[in-house]
Amino acid sequence: MIPGGGQPDMQQLLQQAQKMQQDLQRAQEELAATEVDGQAGGGLVRATVTGSGDLRALKIDPKAVDPEDTETLADLVVAAVQAANENAQALQQQKLGPLAQGLGGGIPGLPF
């Protein structure tokens, strides 16, 4: 219900929903095109992912490569990818957060 007992303007609600959908799609496209980095080992291993979380590149400094200790290298790779994904999640929150908040009361007359 809308305060005052009136009915929501369905045309206005539809337009707002369409705009939010367009904004969300545009933000998702921006995320897919944006790259963020993560690093480990003081920059010896760097991972690049898109804002949507797709791994695009992995750079390993030759100093990090020790044939006798591949386990450490693997740990550094995992840590760099995790750091990059955390940065991607932060970017997602930055881009999509305001849109999601709009769902929580941005459309008058809807219960969410």
Side-chain angles (χ1 to χ4, degrees):
M1 291 296 283
I2 292 183
Q7 293 295 321
D9 179 350
M10 294 308 286
Q11 183 66 28
Q12 182 181 5
L13 290 176
L14 180 59
Q15 288 174 346
Q16 287 176 335
Q18 287 174 336
K19 182 182 181 328
M20 287 177 64
Q21 184 178 17
Q22 290 169 347
D23 291 345
L24 180 59
Q25 183 176 358
R26 189 171 20 260
Q28 288 172 330
E29 289 169 357
E30 286 178 28
L31 284 171
T34 303
E35 292 183 348
V36 294
D37 292 319
Q39 62 177 326
L44 291 175
V45 177
R46 294 180 181 269
T48 302
V49 299
T50 64
S52 56
D54 295 326
L55 182 63
R56 288 288 171 93
L58 186 62
K59 295 179 184 175
I60 301 172
D61 188 302
K63 296 176 199 166
V65 180
D66 179 358
E68 302 297 319
D69 187 15
T70 58
E71 187 174 310
T72 298
L73 178 57
D75 289 344
L76 290 173
V77 169
V78 169
V81 172
Q82 286 176 335
N85 280 328
E86 288 172 6
N87 291 337
Q89 288 175 354
L91 183 62
Q92 289 171 9
Q93 190 69 306
Q94 178 186 359
K95 294 277 187 191
L96 300 178
L99 295 174
Q101 289 173 357
L103 292 175
I107 302 177
L110 292 182
F112 55 92

